Amino acid sequence: MSRISPLNWPVIRQLRDGDPFGRDRNAQSRKSAELQPRVAEADRVVKSVCPYCAVGCGQLVYVKDEKVIQIEGDPDSPISRGRLCPKGSASEQLVNSSTRVTEVLYRAPKAKEWQKLDPEQAMDMIADRFLEARRNGWQDTDAQGRPVNRTMGIAGLGGATLDNEENYLIKKLFTAAGAIQLENQARI
C-alpha cells in the first residue's frame, strides 16, 4: 500500500481496525506510545490527605528511594474523587522544597538570632508556658461571686488545615483546661 493510499487515512484506519471513535492505537503517535507515566518508577504509593484546608482531599503520594517523587489526587477518595486544587497539586513542592524548615527553631525575646532546639525541650517550654498562663489567668468566681472555674490567660485558634476530628479534640483540650476563648480560622 502506498503512502498516499486512501486506505491509510486515519478515518479509514479507525473503521478498518474496529476503532470508530479514534480512542485506540490509531489516535497515538509513535512518541506518545513510547511515553511512560512519571510515577512508573515509584517503589510504593501511600494514601494521604492534602494539608492545605479542611476539605480533606485524598492524595496518592508516590515514593522512590524514600523520597516523594509525585503527589496526585486519589480517585478512591469520596471527598475529592481524584481532583486537587492548585495548592493540593503543588504539595510535592512543599515536601521537597530546599527552603523547608525541618528543625525546631527558637528566637528568645529580644534576641536577633534563631537557635536550634531539641524537640523535647521545645515541647517542655510550650507545656510550661501553657500551665503558667493558665495559672496566672485563672478565675474561680466572677465579679458577682458565681463560680466560673475558667482561665482568661489562654485562647485557642483552630486552623482550616486541620480536619473536623482534630479541631474537635483541640477544642475539648482547651475546654478541659478552662479556656473559654476558642475560635476557628474558618469563622474569622
Side-chain angles (χ1 to χ4, degrees), residues 57-184:
C57 296
Q59 291 183 326
L60 296 176
V61 180
Y62 295 88
V63 180
K64 180 181 180 184
D65 300 328
E66 298 305 311
K67 183 175 188 262
V68 174
I69 59 170
Q70 179 67 19
I71 297 178
E72 297 178 352
D74 183 0
D76 295 334
S77 169
I79 295 167
S80 58
R81 299 186 309 240
R83 299 180 197 91
L84 293 175
C85 72
K87 285 172 72 174
S89 297
S91 296
E92 182 270 334
Q93 295 170 16
L94 172 73
V95 173
N96 292 324
S97 172
S98 61
T99 61
R100 181 179 179 199
V101 177
T102 58
E103 300 168 317
V104 178
L105 298 177
Y106 171 71
R107 188 171 58 88
K110 300 182 181 163
K112 293 182 180 180
E113 300 296 322
W114 292 88
Q115 63 186 32
K116 293 178 186 173
L117 286 184
D118 177 59
E120 292 295 322
Q121 181 184 0
M123 291 299 285
D124 288 342
M125 289 170 67
I126 292 168
D128 291 343
R129 291 174 183 180
F130 184 91
L131 294 173
E132 182 183 352
R134 181 179 185 268
R135 190 173 24 255
N136 292 342
W138 188 259
Q139 295 177 341
D140 287 318
T141 57
D142 63 8
Q144 287 81 31
R146 296 175 293 200
V148 289
N149 295 325
R150 65 184 181 198
T151 182
M152 301 302 280
I154 300 172
L157 177 62
T161 58
L162 303 176
D163 60 33
N164 290 341
E165 291 82 8
E166 291 167 316
N167 277 314
Y168 174 75
L169 291 173
I170 290 170
K171 192 224 184 263
K172 288 195 70 100
L173 167 73
F174 277 89
T175 302
I180 59 169
Q181 298 144 326
L182 303 173
E183 192 53 79
N184 191 289

